Amino acid sequence: MLHHIRASVFGLFCLSFFVIFFSCSKTPSPTQIENYGTLEIRANVISSTLKKENAIAQTIADSLVVEVSGEGIETARFAHRLDLSRPALNETITKVPVGRNLRVSIWAISRSGAVTHIDSVEYHTANIENARVTPITTTLIPAAGSIYLQFLDMPTNTWVHAQFVSSDENVIASGSAPRSTRTFVSLDNIPHMTAGVLTVVVTDGSSDTAYIANRELTFNARTDNSIDLHFTTYNSALGFDITMYEPGVTTGSFNFNNGNLNNPQSIVEETGELIITEIMWNATNDNYIELYNPSDEAVFFETLTTDVNGTVRDFEDVTVGPKSYLVIGRHALPHVDIHTTATGGLPITSTGNWITIRRGRTGAVIDRVIFAAGTSNTVGWPALSASNIRSIELDRDKYCVTENNFGKNWKASTAAVPIPGTTNQYGTPGF
């Protein structure tokens, strides 16, 4: 009996050992465990520079594409359906191969596979760890941008014609405008990294070419670039400055100075002692300009000169405190620091404005802003209502004499109550 019990116990022991051994033999080794991490993509989406009437804008983003590549892993690509009506996205990408210093590229595509948005940087570098979430914050910008051309005091009876033609001789964008006091031409939706030639032609009343300029360039929606464009005539050459600005906005400005070809005004250097930060453009007699002193010290001007569309005003003995504002207006209103009583005041108009601040009439340019106002414009500035009188304000993180040259850095005032002393004017002069 005892022999049988011992045999049973021994058999049970052997069976248990067999089961344990068998089970252990089926457990994957550490090298057999699949190593995956997770990416959390936090994206801010910028789409305002896309013009909806253009075919490229009609290819609405449908999916977010994330590509992960690097040494020691096979390139992995993930696509997530998304809704770009939201200003911010938060997408989770799972089963991402692990590795160090991996390259993460992000873009958005339409249903047809066309690229509609690109990352504001070429790629991100990330360390992906097993069972860990790696966050990446990025900005998606349109995969196309615009060239904005703006002219002041063109010769009479002239037209401006502009065209951007790709290297394979396809016309990417074109536009024309008749001469006016302030002339604006917009070339929209030029795809990112398109190489080609920008041609600007000014024709006279007989439709003959008066001035022409050509410049090869590669349109880049990500980086800031500056180039010079020269108009040539039969007997002279005119300088014309173009600045390319992220995300995909190129601006060019040229002042014909009432047709005086011997004194062209195009490229200006701004000292930045004061920065134009707010403009009330549609309040008629109550229009104003707000200036900001970015320095830690007060700045003094024996003569501070404003030039608004060719109308010059001088202000004597002006001091602006450190990190402080100066508001220039037409009347002695509570929110105005200095004002002019001259006929015409500050002739800021609803059709576009060239505003220059100088240290005296012949001194250095402190700041210059050229902007298109009005209820609808195609050059990137806020479109405002003529009945809802609101100033335009520079974003506070763009307080710079170069940043304030681009309409996308400005917005209509969001003030909830009217400016004190007014009934229907909204802004934040002096704040």
Side-chain angles (χ1 to χ4, degrees), residues 45-62 84-85 108-112 114-117 141-146 172 188-192:
V45 181
I46 297 175
S47 57
S48 59
T49 56
L50 284 176
K51 306 300 180 184
K52 295 194 175 0
E53 67 272 15
N54 189 283
I56 199 168
Q58 293 171 358
T59 56
I60 304 300
D62 179 74
L84 276 182
S85 64
I109 60 175
S110 67
R111 290 185 180 181
S112 66
V115 177
T116 60
H117 291 74
I141 63 177
S146 300
I172 304 300
D188 296 319
N189 296 306
I190 300 174
H192 174 57

Side-chain angles (χ1 to χ4, degrees), residues 178-391:
R179 185 265 184 197
S180 64
T181 305
R182 289 163 295 281
T183 305
F184 297 92
V185 178
S186 176
L187 307 183
D188 296 319
N189 296 306
I190 300 174
H192 174 57
M193 297 309 293
T194 299
V197 176
L198 171 66
T199 300
V200 182
V201 175
V202 178
T203 58
D204 59 22
S206 302
S207 297
D208 294 328
T209 298
Y211 321 113
I212 185 170
N214 293 289
R215 178 60 188 260
E216 293 185 3
L217 61 89
T218 298
F219 191 90
N220 192 323
R222 288 195 177 107
T223 60
D224 299 348
N225 296 286
S226 294
I227 62 174
D228 292 333
L229 184 67
H230 273 271
F231 284 87
T232 58
T233 67
Y234 292 110
N235 54 16
S236 62
L238 308 176
F240 183 56
D241 180 56
I242 288 194
T243 301
M244 188 172 294
Y245 188 84
E246 179 185 287
V249 172
T250 298
T251 65
S253 57
F254 186 80
N255 185 349
F256 279 89
N257 196 26
N258 292 313
N260 182 359
L261 305 183
N262 296 319
N263 186 26
Q265 300 175 21
S266 58
I267 304 172
V268 297
E269 297 210 3
E270 303 160 296
T271 67
E273 297 166 275
L274 298 175
I275 301 168
I276 299 172
T277 53
E278 184 174 348
I279 303 167
M280 176 61 84
W281 66 276
N282 62 340
T284 313
N285 291 338
D286 294 341
N287 285 335
Y288 62 78
I289 303 168
E290 177 190 80
L291 307 176
Y292 178 72
N293 173 14
S295 172
D296 293 325
E297 298 181 358
V299 60
F300 171 75
F301 302 91
E302 289 185 2
T303 303
L304 184 68
T305 300
T306 64
D307 182 339
V308 180
N309 302 323
T311 298
V312 178
R313 300 285 182 252
D314 294 326
F315 303 90
E316 307 294 334
D317 299 326
V318 176
T319 299
V320 186
K323 307 293 184 184
S324 297
Y325 294 93
L326 175 76
V327 179
I328 304 175
R330 180 174 184 177
H331 298 298
L333 299 172
H335 56 277
V336 169
D337 297 307
I338 58 177
H339 66 282
T340 175
T341 57
T343 302
L346 296 175
I348 303 172
T349 72
S350 61
T351 58
N353 300 270
W354 289 53
I355 300 176
T356 303
I357 309 298
R358 289 182 179 274
R359 184 177 277 278
R361 292 203 174 197
T362 60
V365 173
I366 299 170
D367 192 13
R368 173 179 289 172
V369 170
I370 303 168
F371 76 96
T375 56
S376 63
N377 68 75
T378 59
V379 290
W381 291 85
L384 303 175
S385 168
S387 58
N388 186 9
I389 302 177
R390 292 184 178 273
S391 69

